[in-house]
Amino acid sequence: MSRSLRRGGIAALAALAIAPLSSCAAGNTPETLQIKPDNASATLGTDVVLNNIVVVTGDESSGEHTGPANVTVNISNTGPEVLELQAVTVAGGAPAAFTDAAGAPLTSISVPAGGAVLLGGPGNPIAKVASTTVTVGGYVATSFTFKNHEKLDTEAHVSPNKDLYKGFGPAAPAAAPSKAATPAAGATTPAAPGVPAAH
């Protein structure tokens, strides 16, 4: 290969190496930096981090949702004291009710010092909003209030009860069992026609 061809090849390789760098530089404009991550996160002071803040709706994939929804978030507490979450509100004021994994009501959620708590999902405490209007795939204003009256206003991503968040959404109410007729005291229940009575 001649020297001129070799120089031409080196120049072409140099141009290809510089091109991605220039496109990366173009990506640092304010317009491109305004893209939000899929799952919101926020911090409170230096010790508290809220990761993956998501409002989970029903099974619809898009559009407006009006009805119950659950709030899921991973709260990390690196401070020396127990953190107590007292309230969560969605969409300008719809409050969430706290329950433990078995469905028993809770007045607050405790996050141990140096620990973390996942709110939402199987086996974890739940924050359920009875009814709110949100846009699936969008973002909604969400507030977290702690015992020391510190309030964190942020945004949550709105996701359907699918894929990564399957099982995190509000469960449909169980159907009430039908009441069977109870025979009066001392009465016997006749056997069905053609079926011999048990002895």
Side-chain angles (χ1 to χ4, degrees), residues 1 3 13 16 23 30 44 67-68 71 80 85 97 104 118 124 136 145 148 156 158 162 165 168 170 180 183 185-186:
M1 183 182 289
R3 288 184 181 177
L13 287 173
L16 288 174
S23 64
L44 184 64
V71 179
L85 176 65
L118 176 61
N124 299 310
V136 177
T145 304
N148 55 5
V158 181
K162 292 182 177 181
Y165 294 98
F168 283 72

Side-chain angles (χ1 to χ4, degrees), residues 160-174:
N161 183 42
K162 292 182 177 181
D163 301 325
L164 290 176
Y165 294 98
K166 185 68 176 176
F168 283 72

Side-chain angles (χ1 to χ4, degrees), residues 76-107:
S76 172
N77 175 22
T78 59
E81 297 180 1
V82 174
L83 182 69
E84 192 171 319
L85 176 65
Q86 292 191 317
V88 177
T89 58
V90 174
F98 298 143
T99 63
D100 65 13
L106 296 173
T107 56

Side-chain angles (χ1 to χ4, degrees), residues 69-182:
N70 286 354
V71 179
T72 180
V73 58
N74 188 302
I75 305 174
S76 172
N77 175 22
T78 59
E81 297 180 1
V82 174
L83 182 69
E84 192 171 319
L85 176 65
Q86 292 191 317
V88 177
T89 58
V90 174
F98 298 143
T99 63
D100 65 13
L106 296 173
T107 56
S108 63
I109 304 291
S110 293
V111 185
V117 166
L118 176 61
L119 189 59
N124 299 310
I126 303 293
K128 183 175 182 177
V129 179
S131 184
T132 187
T133 298
V134 293
T135 301
V136 177
Y139 289 82
V140 62
T142 306
S143 297
F144 298 85
T145 304
F146 297 88
K147 185 177 181 180
N148 55 5
H149 303 294
E150 287 187 286
K151 185 178 179 183
L152 178 61
D153 295 320
T154 184
E155 287 190 333
H157 181 62
V158 181
S159 174
N161 183 42
K162 292 182 177 181
D163 301 325
L164 290 176
Y165 294 98
K166 185 68 176 176
F168 283 72
S178 57
K179 291 184 178 179
T182 306

Side-chain angles (χ1 to χ4, degrees), residues 36-63:
K36 296 179 180 178
D38 283 345
N39 298 336
S41 62
T43 58
L44 184 64
T46 57
D47 298 330
V48 182
V49 179
L50 282 69
N51 284 314
N52 298 327
I53 308 168
V54 181
V55 171
V56 186
T57 62
D59 294 337
E60 65 270 59
S61 296
S62 62

